[in-house]
Amino acid sequence: MTTIDSVRQLPKVDELLREPRLENALRLMGHVPVREAIRTTLDKAREGLLAGHSDEPITEESIIFSILKQLDQETKTKIRKVINATGAILHTNLGRAPLAEQALDAVMDSSRGYSSLEYDLEHGRRGQRGASTEELLCRLFNAEAATVVNNNAAAVMLALSSICRGREVIVSRGELVEIGGKFRVPEIMEESGAKLREVGTTNRTRISDYERAVNESTAAFLKVHRSNFRMSGFVEEVDECDLAALAHQHAIPLIYDLGSGCISQDLAKLLPEEPTVSQAVACGAEVICFSGDKLLGGPQAGIIIGKKEYVERCRAHPLMRAFRCDKMTLSALQATLTLYLDPEMARQHIPLLRMALVDTGALFKRSEQVKDILNARGIKATVTSSDMIIGGGSAPEVRIPSWALTLVPENGTSSTLQSIEAALRAYDPPIICRTVNDSLLFDLRTVSQGEEQILIEALCAILGEGDKRL
Ligand SMILES: *Cc1c(COP(=O)(O)O)cnc(C)c1O
């Protein structure tokens, strides 16, 4: 291959655009991005020649290689499908809850063309956005009213702004929590224009603390579920039903930030510390906020249910316009909630429930089968005991015994481990696993049957014949 040693010998942009090896990229991405990649690569080559760098000889081959590499990099950094082999069912960095087929179909159906998003088909006039989803929420939870926004942080913010602005909200010091992603109760409170009135101590808050703090400027009590941590030892907190009762005595609402929003009774049995939405409603909380993409297993959304008077105030607030959901979210949420009308449908079709409720014995068997396949192909794997991880800041203390496929590199240096982990991440589709001490853990709970084969092929390709890392 001839080395290009002068700027004048560099290929021209138009010549490169006719290069057969760039044809595929041109077809997939169009002219503009390919031309840009060609320009940047040529600019760099020109600079290299002028500066007299001689470490990497420039050839036409190396230029085409750089262009393809840059285009490939652009594709790789886009949001794309990954295989989650970490076992964390609600992995925050991997998009939380995967959607049910029915939810995906609903998104396609309402978004490919036009939809009745804000149209009343019966009367042929403008309708209310999300009305059918709200009716479904009321029906499922026996609530007076409901509304939906983009996420639970927005739901809490909206509830505080529309119900408590300029007045006091009483919160236990044990619930001034940070949920991650900058959701901090005191800061949300400040942004909403409500005044935070702290009561109790970090570890103990009693009903009398709330009672003493109530005054004519009190707008509400706020209860926040400690989603992502637990307190133990010398602790005391006020039960939400008792707090709701005290709120009623003083004719103020209880706003309850439930966090995850567990709906499924089966899931609730598994996660006894997670309050269910129905429990919160039964206690009489006036305003209940929870996420759509945590334990509900739907799209990212924030759901507000409760007494009509307060939900109406949320709906009428100017922030509602900024927080309202689009048709894709509402369609996916509606389809997911529809599945909850029948618990068996929910169990079968909502991926989050399917993964969380999978039979541990069956998971062990599946892991053993994959282990056998890998062993037969010369890769030493074992199945070891591990814990199920809910993730997404939900149920942090829950320890449900589970199984994981485990690989221990023989010359177990951490760099070997890291290089395998990185190779899996660079695979197409990328595979995300866990490294624990000197081993790689693959939890098949979050790997679908279809993905299982890809995982096997990836491991064989990375660790296969001739590679002595394992
Ligand atoms: C997760 C969580 C939030 C934030 O919900 P998003 O849907 O992520 O915005 C707020 N409060 C609690 C208690 C949570 O657990």
Side-chain angles (χ1 to χ4, degrees), residues 96 150-154 156 177 179-180 183 185 224-228 257-260 289-294 300-302 392-394:
R96 285 199 188 155
N150 278 324
N151 49 50
N152 189 34
V156 176
V177 302
I179 302 290
F183 183 92
V185 172
V224 184
H225 178 54
R226 283 191 283 264
S227 287
N228 53 3
D257 176 10
L258 262 187
S260 292
C289 306
F290 54 98
S291 291
D293 57 343
K294 287 188 184 169
Q300 181 190 299
S394 300

Side-chain angles (χ1 to χ4, degrees), residues 264-398:
S264 154
Q265 294 302 324
D266 304 295
L267 195 57
K269 271 185 226 144
L270 210 60
L271 312 171
E273 304 235 11
E274 280 300 319
T276 64
V277 178
S278 311
Q279 276 165 2
V281 175
C283 270
E286 275 75 10
V287 182
I288 301 164
C289 306
F290 54 98
S291 291
D293 57 343
K294 287 188 184 169
L295 295 179
L296 191 153
Q300 181 190 299
I303 297 165
I304 304 176
I305 61 169
K307 294 277 180 304
K308 199 164 178 190
E309 169 194 354
Y310 298 109
V311 175
E312 285 298 342
R313 275 160 78 174
C314 293
R315 210 182 268 138
H317 194 279
L319 273 180
M320 185 66 196
R321 183 63 177 74
F323 290 167
R324 72 178 190 182
C325 295
D326 79 324
K327 56 183 179 282
M328 292 192 277
T329 304
L330 287 170
S331 317
L333 183 62
Q334 180 167 271
T336 309
L337 291 169
T338 302
L339 291 169
Y340 276 106
L341 291 174
D342 184 280
E344 185 50 37
M345 288 295 280
R347 262 195 302 273
Q348 262 185 38
H349 296 289
I350 296 176
L352 168 102
L353 297 183
R354 230 172 28 215
M355 291 187 275
L357 302 169
V358 82
D359 176 63
T360 311
L363 184 65
F364 176 75
K365 224 189 237 161
R366 216 182 126 200
S367 308
E368 281 282 318
Q369 279 163 1
V370 174
K371 179 202 83 176
D372 290 343
I373 296 171
L374 289 174
N375 287 352
R377 294 174 70 167
I379 294 167
K380 277 184 227 143
T382 52
V383 175
T384 58
S385 63
S386 75
D387 285 326
M388 171 171 119
I389 315 161
I390 293 287
S394 300
E397 300 278 273
V398 165

Side-chain angles (χ1 to χ4, degrees), residues 172 175 205-207 210 221-226 236-249 252-259 262 271-289:
S172 158
E175 294 171 17
T205 303
R206 301 183 189 85
I207 192 93
Y210 288 92
F221 290 152
L222 173 68
K223 182 150 186 77
V224 184
H225 178 54
R226 283 191 283 264
E236 181 174 350
E237 72 173 304
V238 179
D239 176 84
E240 53 269 28
C241 294
D242 295 342
L243 197 55
L246 184 67
H248 300 164
Q249 274 175 34
I252 54 169
L254 168 64
I255 301 172
Y256 190 2
D257 176 10
L258 262 187
C262 181
L271 312 171
E273 304 235 11
E274 280 300 319
T276 64
V277 178
S278 311
Q279 276 165 2
V281 175
C283 270
E286 275 75 10
V287 182
I288 301 164
C289 306

Side-chain angles (χ1 to χ4, degrees), residues 18-60:
R18 288 191 297 272
E19 163 61 43
R21 277 166 291 179
L22 296 182
E23 235 169 55
N24 201 35
L26 277 168
R27 195 164 38 79
L28 294 173
M29 306 167 104
H31 263 74
V32 178
V34 176
R35 190 188 289 270
E36 252 172 55
I38 293 174
R39 286 236 166 90
T40 355
T41 307
L42 288 178
D43 286 349
K44 244 185 258 159
R46 196 172 297 115
E47 275 167 31
L49 286 171
L50 291 175
H53 292 323
S54 55
D55 39 342
E56 280 280 321
I58 297 170
T59 63
E60 185 156 334

